Amino acid sequence: MKICYQCRLFFRELFIFILTAYAVFSAFHIPWPAVFAVAALPVFVSFGTLSCALGGLRALIPTAALSFFSANPFAVYLPLLTWALPTLAVRSGRRWAQAVSAIFTAAWICLSFLGEISWADTLFIISSALTLFFALPLLKGKTERLKNIDIIVKSVTGNTMRAAEKFADGALSVSEGKINIIKWEENKPEMEAVTGDGLAIAFPVHLFGTGRKFLADMIKKLPAGNGKPAFILYTASLYPGAAAFVLWAALSFKGYRVKGTLWEATGPLKIKSLSEKTAEHENGIIFEAGGDFADGWPCGEPLIIPPSPLFILGLLKK
């Protein structure tokens, strides 16, 4: 894992947000869009991929829309902070970085209660608190190395399958066991084949979610996890909303320990010029996540829950 470089970027981001807190407390108020533009720069540079950089849209778009109804500067910063800090901390691979990120995010949530709270601020606080809650189990850090890993793929062709295969290649570079790719089909889901030490689920996002049938099979027919590690890999064009939220919650309910998520941008974003420049980085991140997952590390990104209910629309898609 590229620890040192990522940790330096983590400290830069933390320092910028501390300066932001000082600016909010002092008479020199800085508009939050300007602060975000500066604070997000090291995040975008650190990831080096189109998908991870655009991941900030999950926090930026609803925050920008709801900020007009907010009277609390601390609450407005919350979605951006709870995207940037936990994501960098998980990417760093250091438990202490994740702990600092969790403490700083929790402290900022507490600061939000110092001012007036509108309905928009309530959404900011709830979404950030949920993001922090789902990130806390990642503080356990590295666990045992996995030998046999099952990868359930909803789409048997296209970008999702290619991403799953790249993830499998990364896992094979570390694991000494077998990587089993299971192709999910609506009429005959082969859940009985899930017998490995770890589980990864890959799916394309439709209407900001997984689809009801696929989610129902994960809940009803997927064997109990009994503490097994899991990973969520999904593909979407432009804005995935919080597509991983319901699936993460379902896997946790089934007894799996989800170690992270990863989104690969597809569709209109994958125009030829961008694809040629970013494909190598995208594949590298997916490959690295597969290797880290097999090695027992939290990897990819933590679950980020934006202040938006768009993921509920995913339940409308069969």
Side-chain angles (χ1 to χ4, degrees):
M1 301 181 70
K2 299 179 181 179
I3 295 175
C4 296
Y5 175 65
Q6 297 290 353
C7 285
R8 286 198 301 269
L9 288 167
F10 174 79
F11 270 124
R12 293 179 196 174
E13 189 72 10
L14 185 61
F15 178 69
I16 289 173
F17 276 113
I18 291 175
L19 289 181
T20 302
Y22 175 77
V24 172
F25 272 122
S26 68
F28 304 100
H29 177 67
I30 303 175
W32 74 263
V35 175
F36 172 73
V38 175
L41 186 59
V43 182
F44 296 160
V45 174
S46 69
F47 289 135
T49 71
L50 180 64
S51 298
C52 290
L54 289 171
L57 290 174
R58 286 175 290 178
L60 176 60
I61 291 178
T63 300
L66 294 174
S67 64
F68 295 101
F69 305 97
S70 172
N72 190 321
F74 294 105
V76 172
Y77 284 113
L78 261 176
L80 308 177
L81 183 144
T82 51
W83 165 69
L85 290 186
T87 298
L88 270 183
V90 170
R91 293 288 299 140
S92 73
R94 290 291 194 180
R95 185 182 299 178
W96 63 263
Q98 296 169 22
V100 170
S101 172
I103 293 172
F104 192 79
T105 303
W108 200 281
I109 291 176
C110 293
L111 287 175
S112 300
F113 288 98
L114 296 179
E116 181 182 351
I117 297 178
S118 66
W119 65 268
D121 299 321
T122 301
L123 286 179
F124 293 147
I125 293 172
I126 291 176
S127 65
S128 298
L130 286 174
T131 298
L132 179 62
F133 172 78
F134 281 102
L136 287 178
L138 301 180
L139 289 173
K140 296 180 180 179
K142 189 179 185 300
T143 57
E144 68 282 352
R145 179 175 291 190
L146 304 178
K147 291 184 178 180
N148 302 315
I149 300 175
D150 298 314
I151 304 178
I152 299 177
V153 186
K154 180 180 180 182
S155 178
V156 298
T157 59
N159 295 298
T160 304
M161 177 57 76
R162 286 196 294 271
E165 291 174 345
K166 183 57 64 175
F167 185 88
D169 291 341
L172 279 173
S173 68
V174 174
S175 175
E176 298 177 354
K178 179 182 178 182
I179 310 299
N180 181 29
I181 296 181
I182 303 172
K183 299 178 181 179
W184 182 88
E185 297 181 26
E186 184 172 344
N187 296 324
K188 48 178 181 179
E190 300 178 1
M191 296 305 173
E192 66 277 2
V194 179
T195 58
D197 304 315
L199 173 68
I201 297 179
F203 66 93
V205 175
H206 297 296
L207 201 60
F208 307 105
T210 62
R212 294 200 315 272
K213 177 62 177 177
F214 183 73
L215 181 62
D217 281 340
M218 296 301 105
I219 295 176
K220 296 179 180 179
K221 301 179 181 180
L222 189 66
N226 298 320
K228 292 181 181 179
F231 188 86
I232 299 174
L233 176 66
Y234 56 105
T235 57
S237 58
L238 189 58
Y239 188 76
F245 172 55
V246 178
L247 184 56
W248 186 305
L251 289 173
S252 299
F253 175 77
K254 295 286 292 188
Y256 290 88
R257 294 176 297 162
V258 186
K259 306 297 284 289
T261 71
L262 203 59
W263 164 41
E264 182 187 24
T266 59
L269 292 177
K270 286 290 184 176
I271 60 177
K272 184 176 181 180
S273 59
L274 285 177
S275 180
E276 291 175 351
K277 294 178 181 179
T278 62
E280 183 177 352
H281 295 292
E282 297 279 355
N283 291 333
I285 290 292
I286 297 174
F287 183 90
E288 178 187 344
D292 289 342
F293 178 70
D295 203 23
W297 289 96
C299 48
E301 300 179 7
L303 179 65
I304 305 298
I305 304 174
S308 168
L310 287 178
F311 65 89
I312 298 177
L313 294 178
L315 300 177
L316 301 178
K317 180 70 175 179
K318 182 178 180 181

